[in-house]
Amino acid sequence: MCKVDNCETKVRTKNLCQYHYNRSMRHRYSDKGLEDISTDNPHPRTLEAKKEFNKGFWEFIKKELNINA
């Protein structure tokens, strides 16, 4: 049975039923927040996508603030 008190459901993984296991996994990566995941050797398409995003972002900011640079 599930290790959570008052839960009589069949154990699936880590001594938890499916419901409690999924619930425990829900917040697994919440401590990362919005920090960027980086590696020592990023994929070239990832780098290109970041460059395109940044260029488009700053073009949008310039347009919204009426900056001609």
Side-chain angles (χ1 to χ4, degrees), residues 8-64:
E8 300 296 322
T9 311
K10 184 177 145 185
V11 171
R12 302 262 320 214
T13 305
K14 295 187 180 185
N15 290 327
L16 294 170
C17 66
Q18 184 174 359
Y19 172 79
H20 287 112
Y21 176 78
N22 289 338
R23 189 173 180 190
S24 71
M25 295 301 287
R26 187 179 308 151
H27 305 291
R28 182 175 182 175
Y29 299 107
S30 63
D31 60 335
K32 288 271 190 199
L34 296 176
E35 98 183 29
D36 190 22
I37 297 173
S38 61
T39 63
D40 294 334
N41 187 17
H43 194 277
R45 286 190 291 186
T46 301
L47 295 175
E48 188 62 33
K50 284 184 179 183
K51 286 179 189 175
E52 287 179 20
F53 173 80
N54 287 332
K55 182 180 178 186
F57 174 75
W58 290 113
E59 290 300 320
F60 172 77
I61 296 296
K62 289 177 188 178
K63 179 182 172 187
E64 290 294 312

